[in-house]
Amino acid sequence: DMPPALRDRMHIIRLPGYTPQEKLEIATKHLIPQQRKECGIPIERDGKKLDAVFTDDAVMQIIHRYTAEAGVRELEMRIHGIFAKIDQGFLMHRDLGDADGVLAIIPENLRTWCDKPLRKKHTFGGALPPGMMTGLGVTGIGGETFLIEVSLGDEHRERKLKITGIRASGDSKESVNRIDESLQIAFGFFSSRGGILRERISELERK
């Protein structure tokens, strides 16, 4: 419960769709059982039986790296694809599962059952080189962290901050334009302030 006075002073961003935790719950309670039934899991042939289970970590990795959506349709298709590959492999007499006939889908073997990830995992930390900063963008599927590379120069005798590169998956021209607009506003704000901020900007310009 947020105090009304604080809420009035905040900009609230409303995101459509489900959170990753909600998608995990939907997958565990609904999507996985449904796809197990449709694909005939557990499978039995020639006296051998094979079952397949998903760990929560594996499902979360599918959500974060193999899907890019607000809903769960793509997640359902990924789960179906994994069960279908397991079914095919078992019918081809591949040695799957442990001694109890159970195949656990975990993050370490997820690449075996899925195609190449749609989204790369970015790790940001430590000191960044001059001209680079970490950004956070709000998208229809939640958000994305990325590295922004900028340069400071003169354009018609006016100081100009220009984006020279963005490193993240799924960047669009619209997103870059919005980021550029936000940077110009922030740069104008800091440039208009005196004291240590102005001195710091002048120092950077001399370099």
Side-chain angles (χ1 to χ4, degrees):
D1 294 332
M2 185 180 298
L6 176 60
R7 182 183 293 273
D8 291 341
R9 288 165 176 77
M10 297 182 67
H11 176 67
I12 299 176
I13 301 174
R14 303 189 183 278
L15 302 177
Y18 304 104
T19 65
Q21 196 63 36
E22 289 172 337
K23 290 181 180 181
L24 172 62
E25 187 172 353
I26 292 172
T28 303
K29 293 184 177 180
H30 303 285
L31 302 183
I32 293 177
Q34 177 182 342
Q35 293 304 318
R36 279 173 56 90
K37 184 177 180 180
E38 289 189 8
C39 294
I41 305 293
I43 320 165
E44 188 170 357
R45 178 172 178 168
D46 298 333
K48 294 183 179 180
K49 190 175 182 179
L50 178 66
D51 198 358
V53 296
F54 284 78
T55 65
D56 288 351
D57 290 340
V59 176
M60 288 299 288
Q61 186 160 320
I62 295 174
I63 293 170
H64 287 298
R65 301 190 62 191
Y66 291 87
T67 66
E69 60 176 350
V72 294
R73 177 58 180 165
E74 194 173 353
L75 176 59
E76 182 180 18
M77 293 176 63
R78 288 287 184 176
I79 294 172
H80 175 84
I82 292 173
F83 279 135
K85 284 187 176 181
I86 293 172
D87 195 355
Q88 182 183 30
F90 183 74
L91 295 178
M92 294 175 64
H93 302 282
R94 291 176 55 188
D95 188 15
L96 304 175
D98 56 18
D100 297 325
V102 178
L103 173 62
I105 305 299
I106 58 177
E108 289 74 16
N109 65 12
L110 192 58
R111 188 67 179 269
T112 303
W113 306 105
C114 288
D115 298 328
K116 185 178 180 181
L118 296 177
R119 306 167 69 186
K120 294 182 180 179
K121 182 179 180 181
H122 297 277
T123 302
F124 304 123
L128 294 174
M132 297 196 73
M133 61 182 291
T134 304
L136 174 63
V138 178
T139 66
I141 59 173
E144 184 78 34
T145 54
F146 44 80
L147 289 178
I148 305 173
E149 184 180 70
V150 299
S151 64
L152 182 63
D154 292 330
E155 185 173 318
H156 305 298
R157 296 184 178 180
E158 294 184 0
R159 287 174 295 193
K160 188 71 174 179
L161 194 67
K162 183 179 180 181
I163 295 178
T164 56
I166 293 182
R167 302 179 186 177
S169 57
D171 297 324
S172 65
K173 185 177 180 180
E174 183 181 359
S175 298
V176 174
N177 290 339
R178 289 179 179 176
I179 296 168
D180 183 59
E181 182 180 358
S182 299
L183 284 176
Q184 300 302 334
I185 293 173
F187 183 68
F189 171 79
F190 286 116
S191 298
S192 65
R193 295 299 187 268
I196 188 171
L197 292 178
R198 182 178 296 277
E199 293 177 5
R200 182 57 177 161
I201 292 174
S202 300
E203 180 184 346
L204 292 173
E205 288 179 334
R206 289 193 297 269
K207 292 181 179 181

